[in-house]
Amino acid sequence: MELNCVVDDVSGVEHPLGIVWHTAPSDDDVTSVAAEPAKAPVVRLPDVQEPANSFAEVWTTGRPVVAGEFDELVYGHDGEYAFCAVQVAPAGRYAPAVRDAYLSLLLAIADLGYPHVFRIWNTIPRLTERNADGLEIYQDFCRGRAEAFDLSPVRLASLPAATAVGGQGDGVIVYLLSRRTEPHLALENPQQVPAYRYPVQYGARPPAFARAARTGDHLYLSGTASVLGHETAHGGDLPAQCRTIFDNLTALLATQSADLSALRTIKVYVRHGPDLETVRALCGQHFAPDARIDYLVTELCRSDLLVQVEAVGRTSPVSSAIVLG
Ligand code: 3EB
């Protein structure tokens, strides 16, 4: 699979496996997971401020893609990689519906022949507010996701990398990437407690994701925030949160003998629109000048987090100087 590309017009893109449109809310009043079976599955997220800044994130491959729909799911696959998406209707209590949606995703993707899920994105409206039971919506979501991983007859060899952020749309939207032949390598961050071992203060069921996934020569870095150990660092201090994120990304990349220059496509989620300029300036100083960086305004999982960064990078080929034996 190729690295994801970012375009304003998807019509010229060859072999799209899946398309994620980031649009301004006024641009398009439907948030949806749509099937364009002849072409590619499409997810629409209204998370860009200005209509002029709308963009499409496209996962492309070098091979022809088969796209389709199955129940509520939309998918595209090329013989080795698959993209699959689903929307969970708004609910006063998400755990059961999120569990079922995840179970359907895992089953469908395994049925299609692509059981090795390595990257998942989740958008969850009002995630730091309370649900009908008084439970925080993000924790309600985490419960459903954890139950699905427990119950699924399709067992993942290791947890996928993930992003969970707010959403402006109707209900929870989940989209994922998976592979046919090879499980990924799940990576953790030496500066952070694995999310799946977070203490119960963050919820009865900890967030089920790895800090990154390595598959082929690609690295998929999960949404990374200003979290050290399991605690938020520098609540309320935007530049310090950004610096902690750069440090966290650097520490994880170092475990793969890589640095920030390995990151090619980067998505930056910012809680407050007015913070965009500061965040943009700091990211410009730290990431490679030719990296593609896109900025989205969304809520984040903890109310004291101001920024979250995810990225896709390329690992350098294993040095020929390292010879085993
Ligand atoms: C954190 O480090 C920040 O629940 O899938 C980042 C990435 C976060 C993914 C998820 C949550 C998730 O805990 C929050």
Side-chain angles (χ1 to χ4, degrees):
M1 193 170 75
E2 286 153 25
L3 290 174
N4 49 331
C5 66
V6 177
V7 295
D8 296 327
D9 176 4
V10 296
S11 58
V13 179
E14 262 196 85
H15 305 314
L17 194 67
I19 299 172
V20 182
W21 267 110
H22 298 272
T23 62
S26 57
D27 221 15
D28 188 337
D29 55 0
V30 261
T31 301
S32 58
V33 170
E36 290 184 28
K39 301 182 203 143
V42 178
V43 174
R44 283 180 199 282
L45 304 173
D47 53 8
V48 169
Q49 286 209 304
E50 300 292 328
N53 296 338
S54 293
F55 66 94
E57 186 181 16
V58 189
W59 301 91
T60 59
T61 97
R63 293 191 274 189
V65 171
V66 176
E69 285 180 88
F70 176 78
D71 287 341
E72 310 275 279
L73 310 179
V74 295
Y75 60 80
H77 57 98
D78 76 340
E80 179 57 31
Y81 290 92
F83 174 100
C84 193
V86 70
Q87 182 167 16
V88 179
R93 187 177 296 116
Y94 271 120
V98 165
R99 178 192 63 213
D100 291 350
Y102 260 79
L103 285 170
S104 310
L105 275 171
L106 293 170
L107 261 182
I109 213 75
D111 272 354
L112 288 167
Y114 304 83
H116 305 299
V117 179
F118 58 89
R119 183 65 172 97
I120 307 191
W121 290 261
N122 307 277
T123 69
I124 309 158
R126 292 181 293 280
L127 75 179
T128 56
E129 294 175 25
R130 307 264 148 196
N131 77 357
D133 301 325
L135 181 67
E136 185 189 83
I137 290 174
Y138 174 58
Q139 293 185 21
D140 184 12
F141 162 84
C142 283
R143 181 190 287 179
R145 172 173 59 179
E147 287 176 3
F149 285 137
D150 285 351
L151 295 170
S152 175
V154 182
R155 309 303 299 184
L156 296 184
S158 41
L159 286 171
T163 292
V165 292
Q168 311 282 319
D170 272 345
V172 171
I173 292 177
V174 182
Y175 58 102
L176 62 75
L177 292 169
S178 68
R179 282 192 78 164
R180 178 185 286 279
T181 56
E182 255 185 69
H184 64 281
L185 184 64
L187 306 174
E188 287 301 322
N189 193 312
Q191 304 199 138
Q192 299 181 306
V193 170
Y196 57 85
R197 295 216 189 102
Y198 277 175
V200 291
Q201 72 196 78
Y202 301 101
R205 301 300 311 263
F209 70 98
R211 299 296 182 180
R214 181 174 181 154
T215 188
D217 64 350
H218 289 177
L219 268 176
Y220 295 81
L221 272 57
S222 292
T224 303
S226 181
V227 170
L228 293 173
H230 56 75
E231 286 171 337
T232 300
H234 312 295
D237 183 342
L238 182 72
Q241 288 205 5
C242 290
R243 279 194 297 275
T244 306
I245 291 171
F246 302 137
D247 283 353
N248 278 342
L249 295 171
T250 301
L252 192 146
L253 288 162
T255 69
Q256 304 303 303
S257 309
D259 59 29
L260 292 178
S261 68
L263 305 180
R264 308 318 309 161
T265 52
I266 298 164
K267 260 156 69 197
V268 181
Y269 300 91
V270 179
R271 176 186 296 279
H272 301 299
D275 288 346
L276 276 171
E277 264 181 60
T278 305
V279 174
R280 208 183 279 275
L282 290 170
C283 287
Q285 288 165 21
H286 285 81
F287 295 126
D290 58 347
R292 168 79 201 205
I293 313 177
D294 287 283
Y295 297 85
L296 305 166
V297 176
T298 55
E299 280 180 278
L300 300 168
C301 294
R302 299 182 187 180
S303 47
D304 51 5
L305 293 176
L306 302 171
V307 191
Q308 189 171 298
V309 176
E310 68 178 45
V312 187
R314 212 184 274 287
T315 55
S316 40
V318 174
S319 164
S320 56
I322 302 169
V323 178
L324 295 178

